[in-house]
Amino acid sequence: MSRLSMTVMFLLSLAIAGFADAAVPDDFLFRNTGANNSGMPYRIFVPPGYVATQDYPLIVFLHGAGEAGTNNTAQLNNNANGAMKLVGDANLAIQPTFMAAPQCPTNSSCWGQTLSLERLNAMLDQIAAEFSIDADRVHVTGLSMGGHGTWSLVQNRPDRFASAVPMSGYGGGSAAAMSGIPFWYFHAANDSTVGVAGSRNQVNALRAVNARVIYTEYATGDHGIWSNSYGNALLFPWMMAQWRGSTSLSAPPVVRITQPSAESVWITDLEQTTVSGEFDNAGEPVTTVAWARRNGPEGTATGSTIWNTPSIDLDMGINDLVITATGSSYFANYGGATTLNAILRVNRVLSIPDPGDTVIAINSAGPSHTAIDGTLFVADSAFEGGSTQVSSHVIANTADDTLYNSWRWGNFSYRIPVANGRYEIDLHFAETYNAAVGQRRFAVALQGVPILQEFDIAAESGLDTALIKHYDIDVIDGEILVQFSNGSVGSARIDAVHVILSGDLLFASGFDPD
């Protein structure tokens, strides 16, 4: 029986059994992360009818600055400023869930401080030790200072969370590590306490690294939009549909791409494609569905709940086709709208690869280049971060000097969309900048696993000499992730990346050109 089927059967049985009244602050138990109340105070809601043999979701709620302190009560003032609606009767009938409400002692960006993050993680460990918590269904939400705290906590431990719901937050940071976590943001355009720019910037940063983000921006409502936002009838079911490491496309609001592929990655030899799909907004109004090829053309799709784009020209190599749908804010009194996005990563190749063929070759920091063996290295793409530099040296051990006279350097990564299967990857290096051994040492990780540590190109191959490091890799999540990080001296560097389809463990999904 599938996990979804078991969950549905469990929910039906609980619905038949019935539930207690809606939660109130007195229903939350008192806890502390330290012995003798020496750590972070927190309150924990245990769903009625809790059975220790059944795993339950957990929602973490982070309060705003006005509820800071050490009394372990203020964080639940005003029914947690509306957040306790998440554990109201109607939602508990959908899915019984735990809710944790920690309290931060100060009101100045408290949640983002190192000690607070350590204590929040300790709280999660404590709750999991005391109760039966499903580690794949831990969700975090917060408002105002807690909205920023939601971002900080997920950024600190993106491996722990199934979804994140910041409200009226501020600040920001690196989005790449959180690209796999579904976010639903809420903010008001006329917020006079925490300007809306912080949320807009974070949403844009996440979408820029291909994260799926729902963003509800009200026209009015000022700072205290929380009770009405937590009362959104779609929010709790959407949260409960999310599982760690697997964004759900079942619960609205959601925009789905169905053609040319329902997978996140599609490899084709076509020069153009149309994209079609659906916008499930639970019957709420749909305004527009827009499309864009990142850094290329854009326009408006035909239709709304069912939509189609015109033919979109594809460049050789990576093409990110982005769909952005706009619909209701779900609270008419505030006005505004909700936007949400989906993406199809298209890798256009000269021909659909057979085992041993190139899937993609990238000339890091450089333009398109056809190698002496006929391999087309496309212009630099699929990278996140880093800087670029060029040189004009004669390179030994290669007939393709061009590949080794442009390079990406610093702390950066490549996320290369591929169909699941087995691949070979060649990483091309040359030392054309430093004049001696020992002036550049750095690290490289493949799929999160270190493959090079304190790597010194010159020590291994000499100066102005091409060096290729070859690796085999099995892909199960639709992408090859290569991460470069500075070591003890100098900066990380890569000159080119070459991905080849291996002969074993090939799954056809993603390679169908039709």
Side-chain angles (χ1 to χ4, degrees):
M1 182 180 294
S2 71
R3 181 164 59 178
L4 178 60
S5 298
M6 290 188 292
T7 301
V8 170
M9 291 182 64
F10 175 64
L11 296 182
L12 288 174
S13 67
L14 289 173
I16 293 171
F19 291 92
D21 292 337
V24 296
D26 286 346
D27 293 325
F28 285 68
L29 305 177
F30 289 82
R31 294 290 187 272
N32 194 289
T33 60
N36 301 316
N37 295 326
S38 60
M40 176 177 284
Y42 67 94
R43 303 282 292 278
I44 181 75
F45 173 80
V46 180
Y50 166 68
V51 178
T53 55
Q54 171 68 47
D55 288 342
Y56 293 77
L58 168 66
I59 298 172
V60 177
F61 167 68
L62 304 181
H63 64 74
E67 291 72 49
T70 58
N71 59 12
N72 209 5
T73 59
Q75 71 266 43
L76 297 179
N77 286 353
N78 303 312
N79 291 326
N81 282 311
M84 285 173 57
K85 291 182 178 181
L86 294 173
V87 287
D89 281 350
N91 287 337
L92 291 176
I94 296 171
Q95 170 65 69
T97 185
F98 281 74
M99 183 173 181
Q103 187 179 30
C104 226
T106 63
N107 61 3
S108 179
S109 302
C110 177
W111 295 121
Q113 296 172 6
T114 300
L115 179 59
S116 295
L117 292 170
E118 290 174 353
R119 288 175 167 176
L120 286 170
N121 281 291
M123 178 193 74
L124 292 174
D125 294 338
Q126 279 188 3
I127 294 171
E130 183 177 1
F131 300 102
S132 297
I133 302 299
D134 188 338
D136 290 326
R137 304 182 74 189
V138 178
H139 312 267
V140 59
T141 184
L143 53 89
S144 193
M145 183 179 77
H148 177 66
T150 299
W151 176 271
S152 298
L153 181 55
V154 173
Q155 187 176 30
N156 174 253
R157 287 293 304 274
D159 58 304
R160 299 199 81 151
F161 298 100
S163 76
V165 183
M167 297 189 184
S168 308
Y170 56 91
S174 174
M178 294 170 283
S179 62
I181 298 173
F183 279 80
W184 190 340
Y185 272 79
F186 291 83
H187 214 133
N190 72 335
D191 191 326
S192 58
T193 302
V194 177
V196 73
S199 287
R200 289 176 178 171
N201 290 341
Q202 288 177 357
V203 168
N204 290 338
L206 284 164
R207 288 176 173 169
V209 294
N210 298 335
R212 279 183 174 264
V213 185
I214 305 172
Y215 178 42
T216 297
E217 182 175 298
Y218 304 114
T220 62
D222 209 326
H223 193 51
I225 59 171
W226 319 308
S227 184
N228 291 310
S229 298
Y230 283 121
N232 184 323
L234 299 182
L235 178 59
F236 181 83
W238 176 86
M239 293 174 71
M240 292 300 107
Q242 312 305 320
W243 296 73
R244 180 176 58 170
S246 179
T247 301
S248 171
L249 302 184
S250 62
V254 61
V255 58
R256 305 182 187 98
I257 296 173
T258 56
Q259 294 293 333
S261 175
E263 304 294 329
S264 59
V265 174
W266 184 54
I267 298 178
T268 183
D269 56 359
L270 299 177
E271 296 180 358
Q272 296 179 323
T273 188
T274 59
V275 182
S276 60
E278 57 190 5
F279 180 9
D280 182 356
N281 203 29
E284 290 288 324
V286 175
T287 307
T288 59
V289 177
W291 64 269
R293 193 191 76 203
R294 199 183 302 282
N295 300 319
E298 59 186 39
T300 302
T302 302
S304 52
T305 54
I306 303 295
W307 51 265
N308 300 274
T309 73
S311 291
I312 303 171
D313 291 334
L314 300 174
D315 289 337
M316 293 299 299
I318 306 301
N319 297 261
D320 287 340
L321 305 185
V322 182
I323 303 298
T324 305
T326 303
S328 167
S329 71
Y330 311 108
F331 191 69
N333 289 350
Y334 288 167
T338 298
T339 61
L340 52 158
N341 64 291
I343 187 163
L344 177 64
R345 305 207 77 187
V346 179
N347 181 8
R348 182 185 163 201
V349 294
L350 291 174
S351 61
I352 300 301
D354 290 323
D357 288 349
T358 294
V359 174
I360 189 170
I362 300 170
N363 183 17
S364 299
S368 176
H369 170 74
T370 301
I372 195 71
D373 66 358
T375 300
L376 173 62
F377 285 78
V378 299
D380 201 8
S381 60
F383 59 84
E384 295 173 355
S387 301
T388 63
Q389 197 154 344
V390 298
S391 58
S392 57
H393 292 205
V394 175
I395 309 299
N397 199 33
T398 182
D400 291 297
D401 292 22
T402 298
L403 283 182
Y404 301 94
N405 276 298
S406 64
W407 66 94
R408 184 162 292 277
W409 61 272
N411 294 305
F412 61 96
S413 62
Y414 280 85
R415 290 182 180 271
I416 303 171
V418 293
N420 290 341
R422 173 161 287 179
Y423 296 85
E424 302 170 26
I425 182 168
D426 290 337
L427 303 180
H428 294 246
F429 302 97
E431 184 54 79
T432 62
Y433 182 80
N434 293 315
V437 170
Q439 295 180 339
R440 184 195 308 275
R441 296 193 182 99
F442 61 96
V444 182
L446 185 58
Q447 303 301 78
V449 178
I451 55 174
L452 294 171
Q453 295 283 355
E454 290 293 286
F455 176 50
D456 186 332
I457 301 170
E460 185 158 339
S461 67
L463 301 174
D464 293 341
T465 302
L467 172 66
I468 300 175
K469 306 289 282 188
H470 180 89
Y471 302 92
D472 296 315
I473 183 174
D474 292 328
V475 175
I476 61 173
D477 59 358
E479 73 174 12
I480 294 174
L481 174 61
V482 193
Q483 296 165 294
F484 299 82
S485 54
N486 299 333
S488 60
V489 62
S491 302
R493 166 178 177 156
I494 187 67
D495 294 76
V497 179
H498 186 187
V499 177
I500 301 161
L501 182 63
S502 182
D504 335 295
L505 298 180
L506 172 63
F507 309 129
S509 175
F511 288 100
D512 184 358
D514 297 323

